[in-house]
Amino acid sequence: MRQPAIAMLLMLCACGGKDDPTEPEGDVVEEEADADADADADADADADADADVEPCTATVADLDPEDAEDDWFYLDTLSVEFDLRPEASVEFGLVDESGTELDIEVTWDQETYETAYIAAALTGNATYTLTARCANEATATFGTSPFGAPLESDVSSLVGRVYELDLPNATIAEPPGIGSLLGLFLQSPLLASVQEATEDSLTLLVAQGIWDDDGVPYQDLGTGTYPLPAADFTSAPYFSADTDLIEINYQSGSTDVDIPMHEMHIEGTFSPDGSMLGGAWIDGLLDTRNLGTLLSVVPGDDDDAICNYLEGSFEVPCEDCGTGDIYCLYLKAFFDDAPAIDGLVIDPDPLGTGG
């Protein structure tokens, strides 16, 4: 008679020894409540942030490059112009032809903040789409020129090529307003010869040239040459090189004057086939000491005659030439695309100095 009672007791113990699995514990209920509260708070914060965003009211007036432009230089900065200063909610985008978004860096015109400048890592022979959104949306799909595309041959194929840098017709961006004045004395082309080229470095030799009656340049054997130190060429086909000094010779009648340029910098990009040098420019400190006697409007022929004249007439002051002498003007000049001259070979020592 005792067996049924024992079995009943065991059943009661089994039922009372384990919680009902369908019944949540108190901690779980509290965690779910906390999660719901956090979600509500995040939603409220997002709504508040959206409410705080100031609507963009400026109109996109112009994009550069324009839509369908097909010869954009890959290193040039893109720009977006607005009719007034846009709010912080303005948006920009740049994608390649596959639709991949490119990283961009945006800077602004510091005077009006109505023009945005957009820098990005573009390549040659490629298509991109620039988008700007404010009160309206504007897009421009454009193509880049061949400059910036990989070289078609080994870099050693550049060795021996000579490129014509048309200095007399270069655009002088600095100093502002007096480019035409300085251009009176920069009347000869510069010839840049590739001496060595590897995957790591590029070595140039710069000489002064003369044009024949047909406009074909050849080396001026009455002037010296300037071997530039090896330049970094790891970003081929782009290069930039520097040298302490070159001298540009000016001749007119009996006048023969050397015009030193200190701390000269030159850069450019070779076309894929090596036949052209694009986006080339130079800058440096142009020494004015020998120019005073060349301008009839400048009183006197002292070393500082040009500096005194430019500061008094154009408010353009001279600066240190890097030697402590305050006789230099900062010069920056942009060249048109420079062709390689077939058959031209530069004599590295035309004056026979053995240097």
Side-chain angles (χ1 to χ4, degrees), residues 164 187-191 207-213 215-223 249 251 344:
E164 175 193 0
Q187 289 298 304
S188 299
L190 297 178
L191 304 174
Q208 189 162 318
I210 302 174
W211 283 297
D212 64 18
D213 292 340
V216 178
Y218 61 95
Q219 183 181 1
D220 182 351
L221 297 177
T223 60
N249 182 257
Q251 296 182 20
L344 181 58

Side-chain angles (χ1 to χ4, degrees), residues 51-105:
D52 290 340
V53 173
E54 190 174 5
C56 206
T57 59
T59 298
V60 180
D62 185 53
L63 300 178
D64 194 22
E66 298 177 346
D67 189 49
E69 188 164 339
D70 62 1
D71 199 34
W72 186 259
F73 186 64
Y74 78 115
L75 290 179
D76 284 349
T77 301
L78 316 178
S79 66
V80 180
E81 184 178 340
F82 298 86
D83 65 341
L84 51 87
R85 180 173 180 169
E87 292 78 5
S89 53
V90 64
E91 296 179 346
F92 302 101
L94 183 66
V95 298
D96 63 18
E97 50 197 319
S98 71
T100 301
E101 191 82 22
L102 275 68
D103 292 332
I104 61 175
E105 180 180 347

Side-chain angles (χ1 to χ4, degrees), residues 30-47:
E30 291 178 4
E31 290 175 2
E32 291 180 350
D34 290 343
D36 290 342
D38 290 343
D40 291 342
D42 290 342
D44 291 342
D46 290 341

Side-chain angles (χ1 to χ4, degrees), residues 147 162-166 190 274-280 335-341:
F147 295 109
V162 179
Y163 297 88
E164 175 193 0
L165 298 169
D166 187 353
L190 297 178
S275 66
M276 300 284 287
L277 184 60
F335 298 104
D336 293 335
D337 292 346
I341 307 303

Side-chain angles (χ1 to χ4, degrees), residues 171-179 182 282-284 329-334:
T171 299
I172 298 179
E174 297 286 346
I178 59 173
L182 295 179
I282 62 170
D283 72 351
L329 293 172
Y330 173 67
L331 177 77
K332 187 172 187 178
F334 292 87

